[in-house]
Amino acid sequence: MHRQNWDDLRFVLAVAETGSVSEAARALSVTHATVLRRVAAFEERHGEPVFLRSARGYSVLPDKLAVLEAAQEVENAVMAVDRLLTGSTAALKGPVRITSTDSLCQSVLPGIVQDIAAAYPDLRLTLHSANRHLDFNRLAADITVRPAEQLEDTLIGIKAGVLTFALYGPTAAGRADEKWLTLEGPLSRSKPAEWMRHALRKSQFGVGSDSFMVQIGLIAAGAGQGFLPTFLADSNPGLSRKPDVAEISVPIWVASAADMAHTSKVKVVSEQLVDGIRRVLG
């Protein structure tokens, strides 16, 4: 890479990571005007803009995001060489977006993500809670933590654990409706939902929701019985496990798109997530 091009690219990366010219200037210990000039020089040299400017700051245009991801990898590699030569501990830099289900985001992942953030302070971790399967591109996520029987062909991942489901009713006597709570939306594609469709009659179905966190409240309130993740439900005093139905198990994967899985920051964060999930869920 041409030296002048690389020097300007450092400023572009700083703006991309902070979303602000002022923040980038502070991070690089230069003036606001210097950052503006170097970003403008980079865009002029390549004949097209890199950022969308708005009142909320600077955001990378979607078609330029892959270029900046590659540039970030080059910067990480340069920094890694410097650290190897000086004998210092490796550090990684830049944003890493993680997506998972609301159940895992609210119970298992917060502590693990905080541990990763503490170990790698130059990473900017974001945890997205979504039961739907996001379009897996760089605008959605870098890493997904999901229960699934198998991964899509476009993903590369590691089995980090097992998500076990069991049947639960309310602890309070006399409050339970005999109906089964249905699993709606994205949860309708889950293994428990598949079991229910084959084993139950439509007349047995009652209230439902698209979130296991919501299902917990509904079951505790007496709306019916239903499947829940055991790591959430076993410790809930408002719920009682029912032995009527055998447990259902699904692997938990930590995965990334094939073109991202081997990048340094994604690889390190993925490994840390796998270790953390195995530690928490046993």
Side-chain angles (χ1 to χ4, degrees), residues 9 54 57 60 71 73 102 124 140 188 209 276:
L9 187 54
S54 70
V60 180
E73 284 302 306
D102 61 343
R124 291 192 294 109
S188 66
S209 77

Side-chain angles (χ1 to χ4, degrees), residues 105-244:
C105 280
Q106 293 185 49
S107 55
V108 173
L109 293 178
I112 298 172
V113 169
Q114 173 53 28
D115 288 344
I116 299 171
Y120 300 93
D122 291 329
L123 289 176
R124 291 192 294 109
L125 303 179
T126 306
L127 184 57
H128 296 273
S129 174
N131 286 327
R132 60 191 172 87
H133 287 262
L134 298 179
D135 290 335
F136 215 87
N137 55 55
R138 292 179 178 85
L139 291 178
D142 300 302
I143 301 170
T144 183
V145 181
R146 296 247 164 218
E149 281 298 306
Q150 58 185 14
L151 290 176
E152 302 164 21
D153 293 340
T154 56
L155 299 181
I156 295 176
I158 301 171
K159 289 183 182 179
V162 175
L163 184 60
T164 303
F165 297 91
L167 181 63
Y168 293 85
T171 299
R175 294 188 62 188
D177 191 301
E178 291 301 317
K179 296 286 187 179
W180 286 69
L181 273 65
T182 60
L183 298 171
E184 307 291 343
L187 297 189
S188 66
R189 298 189 296 273
S190 67
K191 198 169 179 180
E194 182 181 352
W195 182 93
M196 291 168 64
R197 283 193 295 270
H198 287 91
L200 304 176
R201 301 183 304 275
K202 287 185 178 181
S203 60
Q204 293 177 270
F205 294 140
V207 176
S209 77
D210 62 352
S211 163
F212 284 117
M213 304 302 291
V214 175
Q215 296 282 90
I216 287 174
L218 288 169
I219 294 173
Q225 60 185 354
F227 282 105
L228 293 171
T230 57
F231 77 88
L232 288 174
D234 278 348
S235 60
N236 190 308
L239 303 174
S240 177
R241 192 192 283 215
K242 305 183 73 171
D244 310 44

